[in-house]
Amino acid sequence: MTAIRVGHLYPDYLNIYADRGNIAVLAQRAVWRSHELEVTAIGMGDPIRAGEHDLYYVGGGQDREQLLVAEDLLGKASALREVVAGGAALLAVCGGYQLLGRGYRGFHGEDMPGIGLLPLETVAGERRMIGDVLLECELEPGERRTLAGFENHAGRTRLDPGAEPLGRVLAGFGNDGESGFEGCRAGRVIGTYLHGPLLPRNPWLADWLLSQALAHRSGGEPPQLEPLPDELERQAHEVSAGRARARGGKF
Ligand code: GLN
């Protein structure tokens, strides 16, 4: 049994659409593999220390909450860069994702600094991009998977040339409603607009994160996790994917 240590950044500020539910999925899927998830909150002023966590998680929020945490997150930037370089995994959703880039200009023109961990920039547009989304991802070469979720953001995120998106949009808006890209991936760091929560209907991504976290914990390669039946999860994925397909907007 391994205790997988999760650092949950700003749970009191960044948690819309029950983004916290992602943690519950990680915890249960860890237990089903006879592991354990140890979750600690990392709030305002709390330090990030190398070696303390295997996986970091930051949820989404409205511009107002993002503004409240942005400065504090900036203070954690170099420590976060260090832990990620050391192989820790990170999942950032929506508002959290935007703050991992170089910055976010909010709907009312507020400029929020980002920490530059991901090669991207975000500026809010007039029209919110809302609805079900379906992506095609290939996090491991040759392993194509679909990711279904829900998006609701004013921010348009532009990836730098050469940056790796999390996936290609099959239906929905994605990063900016134009590029056909959604999210960003850099090694074990994943940023995405999909929430609501994301992991219950995409168990393959939960397992990918768990296995990256286990690799950090052991200092070895990401282990192959024992497969689970996932019947309910498959149905949830199909319902969500079906809604996104009905919505259209293929790139
Ligand atoms: N406030 C940001 C936006 O509107 C992020 C929203 C969110 O986290 N859902 O783009």
Side-chain angles (χ1 to χ4, degrees):
M1 193 209 62
T2 306
I4 303 168
R5 302 155 309 166
V6 176
H8 188 173
L9 282 149
Y10 311 114
D12 301 334
Y13 291 87
L14 299 178
N15 176 42
I16 47 174
Y17 292 121
D19 283 337
R20 214 186 277 267
N22 289 324
I23 301 270
V25 170
L26 290 168
Q28 190 55 50
R29 296 185 76 80
V31 166
W32 280 331
R33 270 63 168 255
S34 309
H35 296 309
E36 188 185 17
L37 210 70
E38 266 175 27
V39 185
T40 44
I42 305 175
M44 297 283 192
D46 293 344
I48 287 184
R49 292 195 196 90
E52 241 174 34
H53 296 104
D54 308 302
L55 170 66
Y56 292 86
Y57 176 66
V58 54
Q62 301 188 24
D63 287 12
R64 204 180 67 86
E65 281 89 37
Q66 288 176 278
L67 206 52
L68 291 173
V69 305
E71 280 299 325
D72 188 84
L73 185 62
L74 206 56
K76 295 177 168 52
S78 65
L80 264 175
R81 214 168 283 129
E82 193 187 323
V83 295
V84 162
L90 195 167
L91 173 65
V93 174
C94 204
Y97 164 46
Q98 294 170 338
L99 294 179
L100 292 197
R102 283 188 296 276
Y104 171 48
R105 177 169 300 161
F107 187 71
H108 299 290
E110 333 67 319
D111 268 316
M112 301 173 218
I115 62 171
L117 195 66
L118 289 175
L120 53 91
E121 238 163 54
T122 306
V123 176
E126 282 299 313
R127 197 163 64 98
R128 292 196 75 79
M129 301 196 271
I130 307 176
D132 296 282
V133 203
L134 185 64
L135 312 180
E136 183 176 67
C137 306
E138 192 173 339
L139 292 186
E140 302 300 335
E143 281 182 35
R144 287 212 181 149
R145 309 278 199 162
T146 50
L147 198 66
F150 183 82
E151 61 184 330
N152 180 358
H153 51 109
R156 271 79 173 145
T157 296
R158 300 272 175 196
L159 301 183
D160 289 356
E164 186 185 343
L166 168 61
R168 295 199 157 266
V169 177
L170 298 177
F173 292 105
N175 278 341
D176 56 3
E178 283 173 13
S179 61
F181 294 143
E182 203 293 316
C184 186
R185 186 258 175 119
R188 291 181 180 158
V189 180
I190 288 195
T192 179
Y193 273 114
L194 274 54
H195 44 183
L198 168 68
L199 299 181
R201 38 185 140 166
N202 299 289
W204 69 265
L205 183 60
D207 285 354
W208 186 85
L209 289 164
L210 285 175
S211 102
Q212 305 304 310
L214 281 163
H216 176 262
R217 188 75 164 116
S218 70
E221 289 298 306
Q224 196 73 41
L225 295 175
E226 190 194 317
L228 297 170
D230 284 339
E231 186 47 36
L232 261 181
E233 290 80 353
R234 197 190 55 73
Q235 288 176 26
H237 179 90
E238 276 318 301
V239 168
S240 186
R243 279 199 215 119
R245 284 196 195 96
R247 168 190 180 191
K250 185 177 185 329
F251 284 84

